[in-house]
Amino acid sequence: MYNDVNMTVNLASASENPNFLRQLRLFLEEICCDICRVHAVQHDGAAAEDVDVAREVDLGEPGAFADMLVRRPGRPPYFLEVKYGYASDRLVHHLETKYGTPSTTVPDADRVVLLIDRAGRSDWPGFYARLRAAIRPELQLEVWDEIKLRELIHECFNLDLPTVTVEGLTDLRNGIDQAKWHWAFGDRHIASPLKSSLLWHFGWSRLLQLHTQYGLTPERILPPRRYRNVVVILADLSYFSSFVRDTRDDEIMRGALTSFYSNSRYAIINSGGMMGQFVGDEVLALFGVPEPEDGVPLRALECARSLLQIGNSVSNRWQRQLDRVQPAGGVHVGIAMGDIHVVLYRPFSQTHIGIVGDAVNLAARLLAEASSNEMVVTNTFYQKLPEPVQAEFGEMEPIEAKNVGLIKAWKLHGRSRFSTRGA
């Protein structure tokens, strides 16, 4: 049974281990993404796939990124900040840096939801007044504390909020995954061995769509075969080796990668794509799998833009913990369109799969031509975009691709938000 005292004691212990606390915040961000989507479905009548919950959103100032931005049809967007375990002065400073002045990138948001640990903070009315003063007047401030978080988890997933331990949080994740699987497939496939694999590759709203619109059972969603006209995205952290070389504490490097992995995977599934795999500091995403659909190129481009913002956010946080200023940060992106093959790693087992094909190789070649905060795309992908979007790209000199020949490609320059300053 939940109580404030146990939560505070465990959090106090966790604060002595900053690496655990960083993972806890990322974990809570993932849970909040699901809560915001489910809440919009239950209370706003929105379709799950129409709710956009983005992470690490550029606010328009160097080094300023919102933890989350929630957009629902017909409603103003709102920000959500997970600041569990933050010291009071640091928390106020973060809010003032991010929300003390109007955002040039998200001018229409109406509030900031703040998830914090309230128990143990002295003079709550005075502290709340400081939080309120740190945010510009036109933004409402809504606080989710331990009690509110417990209520939301119970309301959305019919689960209790456990104590803050590895075992308790693992059980909570497993319970949430079980709820998502039930939302997607009902009671008929509860015991499917593909649950963990498919929930890793796809968002639950995408699985629900594949099940209800296409009649696909878990076994038919990702069978080994050729998939045609797939958009392949490869994104890679820029100057990763330089960051690692100048990082004295290995936990900082591991924490940066975990943040990149968690946020990147969510950007992919939030855009309706398929999470392919991670290789070192590189992420592979697929769009148009298992079924080719209208709007795939635009959704893939939306995902790529999100990955650029995530790369800048990860680099900014990493830089703040280093002595030597890095030459640049962010990610670079390659996008190709063509055929891929899903292959089994083990016979008669779809739980672990590989992705191969010329489109993957071509995306890797384009990735090498992109600098920090740039994406390079094939002409086939470019031609699928609306003309106003095409105008953002510039044509490149043909690129030599091994065993292929000269490739016509286009480049998009993202906004560099790499900064050695900030909260």
Side-chain angles (χ1 to χ4, degrees):
M1 182 63 66
Y2 166 85
N3 63 72
D4 289 346
V5 176
N6 285 342
M7 193 77 169
T8 304
V9 169
N10 279 281
L11 184 59
S13 301
S15 65
E16 299 173 3
N17 184 348
N19 301 312
F20 180 89
L21 198 51
R22 280 194 293 268
Q23 286 198 56
L24 173 61
R25 293 186 190 119
L26 280 173
F27 179 72
L28 291 175
E29 283 186 24
E30 292 184 359
I31 291 176
C32 286
C33 287
D34 292 323
I35 287 175
C36 292
R37 190 179 302 275
V38 174
H39 196 269
V41 171
Q42 294 177 342
H43 294 271
D44 300 331
E49 64 271 17
D50 292 335
V51 181
D52 179 57
V53 187
R55 295 170 66 181
E56 300 304 326
V57 177
D58 180 6
L59 293 173
E61 294 294 331
F65 296 85
D67 288 352
M68 296 165 55
L69 175 69
V70 183
R71 293 189 182 275
R72 305 153 294 166
R75 304 288 296 275
Y78 65 91
F79 302 108
L80 195 151
E81 291 287 324
V82 177
K83 293 295 178 273
Y84 217 82
Y86 270 51
S88 297
D89 289 345
R90 184 186 178 204
L91 175 53
V92 171
H93 175 64
H94 270 259
L95 290 182
E96 188 173 28
T97 299
K98 294 182 179 184
Y99 306 110
T101 57
S103 169
T104 58
T105 58
V106 192
D108 53 341
D110 70 344
R111 61 190 162 112
V112 176
V113 176
L114 180 63
L115 174 60
I116 60 171
D117 48 305
R118 177 173 171 177
R121 294 187 188 270
S122 60
D123 185 22
W124 173 253
F127 181 52
Y128 179 85
R130 292 181 64 197
L131 296 174
R132 176 60 266 181
I135 298 174
R136 59 186 185 272
E138 64 269 24
L139 286 177
Q140 303 173 45
L141 175 62
E142 180 179 338
V143 174
W144 292 359
D145 59 9
E146 300 91 335
I147 294 175
K148 180 64 175 180
L149 181 60
R150 179 196 181 219
E151 292 173 351
L152 289 168
I153 289 175
H154 187 78
E155 174 188 338
C156 293
F157 310 111
N158 197 28
L159 297 169
D160 289 327
L161 178 64
T163 54
V164 184
T165 63
V166 172
E167 294 77 10
L169 296 175
T170 300
D171 288 344
L172 178 59
R173 180 184 291 284
N174 291 336
I176 291 174
D177 282 351
Q178 189 63 44
K180 293 178 183 177
W181 188 255
H182 184 268
W183 295 336
F185 295 105
D187 296 323
R188 295 186 59 188
H189 304 281
I190 293 297
S192 173
L194 297 179
K195 181 183 74 173
S196 296
S197 178
L198 290 179
L199 284 175
W200 168 255
H201 290 300
F202 299 97
W204 66 266
S205 58
R206 174 64 171 156
L207 292 176
L208 174 63
Q209 182 184 47
L210 293 172
H211 181 54
T212 56
Q213 293 188 14
Y214 297 97
L216 298 181
T217 61
E219 294 74 18
R220 294 174 56 202
I221 285 179
L222 209 55
R225 64 175 177 86
R226 179 195 295 266
Y227 293 82
R228 298 189 180 276
N229 299 317
V230 174
V231 177
V232 177
I233 300 176
L234 280 174
D236 185 81
L237 283 170
S238 301
Y239 290 90
F240 175 73
S241 297
S242 178
F243 274 88
V244 172
R245 182 193 62 218
D246 293 327
T247 303
R248 298 180 181 275
D249 184 351
D250 288 346
E251 287 293 344
I252 293 175
M253 180 270 292
R254 285 191 285 268
L257 281 177
T258 299
S259 178
F260 177 65
Y261 296 156
S262 174
N263 284 289
S264 296
R265 173 183 170 272
Y266 186 79
I268 294 163
I269 64 174
N270 180 57
S271 302
M274 172 187 164
M275 172 65 216
Q277 59 193 31
F278 291 107
V279 180
D281 62 319
E282 184 176 282
V283 57
L284 168 67
L286 305 171
F287 285 79
V289 175
E291 298 290 340
E293 298 172 311
D294 294 335
V296 162
L298 277 177
R299 287 194 286 110
L301 182 61
E302 173 193 351
C303 174
R305 293 183 191 275
S306 295
L307 292 174
L308 291 178
Q309 295 188 50
I310 289 166
N312 276 311
S313 176
V314 170
S315 297
N316 273 282
R317 292 183 182 181
W318 200 344
Q319 175 65 78
R320 290 175 204 137
Q321 301 175 83
L322 303 182
D323 292 333
R324 196 173 80 90
V325 176
Q326 300 302 302
V331 300
H332 51 128
V333 178
I335 303 179
M337 191 169 183
D339 295 352
I340 60 101
H341 291 270
V342 168
V343 296
L344 301 180
Y345 284 160
R346 301 171 62 195
F348 306 110
S349 172
Q350 291 180 234
T351 55
H352 297 90
I353 61 170
I355 313 278
V356 298
D358 288 341
V360 177
N361 298 331
L362 186 52
R365 180 66 186 89
L366 299 179
L367 175 69
E369 295 294 323
S371 299
S372 298
N373 294 294
E374 291 181 349
M375 66 176 79
V376 175
V377 309
T378 59
N379 190 55
T380 301
F381 176 78
Y382 169 84
Q383 296 297 338
K384 297 291 185 181
L385 299 172
E387 287 188 7
V389 179
Q390 289 180 349
E392 301 178 40
F393 288 79
E395 187 172 4
M396 302 176 62
E397 291 295 324
I399 297 171
E400 180 70 39
K402 186 177 180 181
N403 298 324
V404 177
L406 290 176
I407 299 297
K408 186 173 183 178
W410 301 79
K411 179 180 288 187
L412 175 69
H413 299 274
R415 292 189 303 171
S416 177
R417 291 297 180 185
F418 180 65
S419 172
T420 59
R421 300 178 299 168

